[in-house]
Each structure stands twice: as C-alpha cells, then as structure tokens.
Amino acid sequence: GRRQGRCSSDLLPCLRPGGWLFVLDTLTTPWGAGDLDEPVRRLTLPEYRDTLTRAAFEQVTVEYRFRDRVVLSARRAPAKDQ
C-alpha cells in the first residue's frame, strides 16, 4: 500500500546514485504473515519487488540464500552523466 511505497521512496535519497540497497528477510509461514487490513504485516516477495520498483529502484532481484531467508537487492539509478 501507500505506507510501503513511502518507506521505500524514503530510502532512495539515502543512497548515492548507482548505490545498492540490500534487504535480508526471514520468511514467515503463510498463516503468520497477517492480512491486508492489519496495521502491520509481512510483505510477500512479489509485493517487495513491486514496491521497490515503484519507488524508482532498478535491477530489483530476489534471491533465496537459505531455506527460510531471502535477500532482496535493488539499485538506485546512476546519475545521468555516468
């Protein structure tokens, strides 16, 4: 929703142009994720990817590292003169 998009957009200025964002998350069981109308819930992997893409991050990837852990990476676009 809007809250996730705003948080992701707020991260963008924290990175220099061309900089990378890495997020390590431990996946929860499907029944522990919460509902869409709850004030706090875990995002699904497609929601993470879509939220970062909408926030103007590029090269958004999702990689499983362990059985229940995932690493998301996203890059801030390089400056136009690079």
Side-chain angles (χ1 to χ4, degrees):
R2 288 185 322 166
R3 190 178 325 175
Q4 295 99 329
R6 180 167 178 224
C7 291
S8 299
S9 296
D10 287 349
L11 289 171
L12 199 61
C14 297
L15 297 171
R16 63 178 166 74
W20 285 89
L21 169 72
F22 292 91
V23 178
L24 172 65
D25 194 7
T26 302
L27 300 177
T28 187
T29 57
W31 56 87
D35 291 325
L36 291 174
D37 60 346
E38 291 183 12
V40 177
R41 71 177 188 86
R42 298 181 76 97
L43 296 177
T44 64
L45 294 180
E47 287 173 325
Y48 259 132
R49 185 187 59 238
D50 294 346
T51 298
L52 290 171
T53 300
R54 281 193 308 273
F57 282 95
E58 298 180 340
Q59 300 176 13
V60 179
T61 61
V62 178
E63 300 177 32
Y64 287 95
R65 292 292 185 185
F66 305 102
R67 179 183 57 194
D68 63 344
R69 290 179 182 85
V70 65
V71 175
L72 291 95
S73 60
R75 184 174 186 224
R76 180 178 174 178
K80 297 291 181 193
D81 60 337
Q82 288 184 351

